[in-house]
Amino acid sequence: TPPISPFAIRFDAEAATLSPEGPTLERRMSDLEGLFADHDAWQAAVADGDPVVYRVQSSPVPEADRELPQSITTIERGTTAGECWMTKGHQHPNHQGEIYLALHGTGGLLMFDGDRVEWLDMTPGTIGYIPPGWAHRSVNVGDEPYSFLAVYPGGAGHDYGWVLEHGMGNRIHRTGDGFALRPYSA
Ligand code: M6P
Ligand code: ZN
């Protein structure tokens, strides 16, 4: 891909939009196979309308080496057998860093390096730093949609198989008065 020319990107934190717009991605429940602990509950949700769990809107900066793309992800409020709705989560194949800036709602950033687990509370204004080598997943733990801006190296890539193989260290469950982190095996 040839490098692109400088241009301005309008970032509207209130509306959680970037313009001009690049590709938009919609992830439905059926796209999250093998990620929730309760497979039967996941399957039932797919059969019952296959709801949109989150959307990712990108700017037109390409996902190519040395570029610096951005995207805004909005995760709907919901649970599957008590587990909070979340992104698939991924590892960067060549271990590059990334930042997330929380915009709306109440979320969390779950990170796992295969050994250690980290959780960051994400409320509007929080920048979560994802160091190289840490798989990352965003979770909506609040009562409204959770939105965040991501800025990441264009050549970082998305390894989803890593998460299917290693998990994310913890699972996030809704409780009576909030949420709780539980060990992955449960
Ligand atoms: C953020 C960035 C994207 C990522 C998206 C959804 O916007 O990290 O690179 O694609 O979240 O997360 P996932 O790819 O794990 O579904
Ligand atoms: Zn990433």
Side-chain angles (χ1 to χ4, degrees):
T1 328
I4 61 175
S5 302
F7 69 108
I9 298 159
R10 176 79 198 149
F11 167 57
D12 186 335
E14 196 50 48
T17 55
L18 297 167
S19 67
E21 286 187 32
T24 296
L25 187 83
E26 201 174 69
R27 296 255 204 241
R28 291 181 177 274
M29 189 57 80
S30 52
D31 296 312
L32 277 71
E33 183 166 15
L35 299 178
F36 290 104
D38 190 329
H39 184 267
D40 292 344
W42 168 80
Q43 208 156 41
V46 171
D48 184 20
D50 194 14
V52 172
V53 177
Y54 61 100
R55 289 186 177 83
V56 184
Q57 192 228 315
S58 303
S59 85
V61 176
E63 287 194 348
D65 247 357
R66 303 189 305 282
E67 301 281 4
L68 201 58
Q70 322 87 36
S71 57
I72 291 177
T73 301
T74 301
I75 309 173
E76 297 299 326
R77 180 202 196 281
T79 56
T80 298
E83 214 176 328
C84 295
W85 282 7
M86 60 195 184
T87 60
K88 291 177 68 167
H90 60 271
Q91 176 69 282
H92 296 156
N94 46 12
H95 290 187
Q96 302 190 58
E98 180 167 5
I99 59 165
Y100 285 174
L101 168 64
L103 302 176
H104 281 295
T106 311
L109 175 47
L110 178 65
M111 291 179 273
F112 184 51
D113 74 349
D115 175 31
R116 294 164 293 170
V117 187
E118 289 289 344
W119 171 263
L120 303 181
D121 289 314
M122 296 289 287
T123 55
T126 305
I127 292 178
Y129 180 60
I130 302 158
W134 289 75
H136 37 290
R137 163 178 289 162
S138 293
V139 186
N140 185 350
V141 298
D143 294 326
E144 51 189 338
Y146 165 59
S147 299
F148 64 96
L149 172 75
V151 183
Y152 55 100
H158 296 82
D159 184 353
Y160 297 105
W162 192 95
V163 170
L164 287 171
E165 188 180 336
H166 298 92
M168 282 300 299
N170 278 172
R171 293 186 180 282
I172 317 304
H173 285 258
R174 194 167 284 269
T175 61
D177 54 357
F179 66 97
L181 277 65
R182 305 213 176 127
Y184 212 76
S185 51

